[in-house]
Amino acid sequence: MADADEAASGADAPEERHGCPVTWSRGQQVLHVPRDRYLAVARALHDEGFLMCADLTAVDYLTYEPDRALPAGVDAERFEVVVGLLSFSPIERIRIRVQLPDDDPTLPSLFELYPGADALEREAFDMVGVVFTDHPDLTRILMPEDWVGHPLRKDYSSGRIPVQFKGSTTAR
């Protein structure tokens, strides 16, 4: 779903930054980065002053229409990693979006550039199953180590675990 900022960015030639298509969302520049250029673009943005990784998450688009709003030349894949970077001088936010295929949801880790990405990448791995290569400790962070599957995947079956409360006299 495109918003007003994205529609307003449609000039004659598509906007690019570091050779990647750019859209705008809620006043933020969004770079649609190919997976093979992810680390190089992140490094270039770091060199420009985007020194903080404020957020990193993964999205499973399994149940969404394959023609969701992406710039020309960017093919929709099942998974997407979204990274929010901050610059403090000048104060600016930028977002990176990377499409990942169902059969190989892997990306290089940003840990060397942004040590704060450690827990964020572990959460994306734990919940969605995105593997960050060269991560120093890519282990589960929210689910038990022996948990099977990734709970935020759209095809993950939801179940129930009965919860018993100590001293409860009523059935729940």
Side-chain angles (χ1 to χ4, degrees):
M1 179 174 181
D3 63 21
D5 286 337
E6 289 172 321
S9 70
D12 296 323
E15 186 177 355
E16 287 189 356
R17 185 167 182 171
H18 298 292
C20 301
V22 169
T23 56
W24 290 84
S25 176
R26 304 187 188 285
Q28 290 182 24
Q29 193 175 51
V30 181
L31 275 68
H32 298 268
V33 178
R35 176 167 56 167
D36 62 342
R37 300 208 39 240
Y38 173 66
L39 201 51
V41 170
R43 184 167 282 117
L45 291 170
H46 187 273
D47 292 346
E48 287 178 16
F50 289 91
L51 301 179
M52 180 179 175
C53 178
D55 194 25
L56 183 149
T57 192
V59 182
D60 181 358
Y61 282 107
L62 179 67
T63 58
Y64 285 77
E65 294 296 321
D67 60 340
R68 65 182 185 270
L70 291 169
V74 177
D75 295 326
E77 296 284 358
R78 175 176 175 179
F79 299 106
E80 180 176 275
V81 169
V82 183
V83 181
L85 301 177
L86 295 175
S87 167
F88 297 107
S89 181
I91 296 176
E92 185 181 1
R93 288 179 176 267
I94 197 165
R95 201 174 318 152
I96 297 174
R97 290 174 58 183
V98 183
Q99 303 297 309
L100 301 175
D102 185 20
D103 61 346
D104 185 22
T106 62
L107 268 181
S109 175
L110 291 179
F111 180 78
E112 290 299 318
L113 286 173
Y114 301 100
D118 172 35
L120 302 170
E121 289 178 344
R122 287 178 62 196
E123 183 178 348
F125 163 72
D126 195 2
M127 297 287 102
V128 182
V130 174
V131 175
F132 293 91
T133 58
D134 298 322
H135 188 283
D137 182 29
L138 195 62
T139 56
R140 292 196 180 267
I141 192 168
L142 298 173
M143 304 302 291
E145 280 297 321
D146 60 348
W147 194 269
V148 177
H150 305 282
L152 292 184
R153 284 193 173 190
K154 300 294 186 208
D155 56 357
Y156 185 83
S157 65
S158 58
R160 276 188 63 118
I161 298 174
V163 177
Q164 295 180 350
F165 297 93
K166 184 176 179 179
S168 175
T169 57
T170 60
R172 293 192 181 235

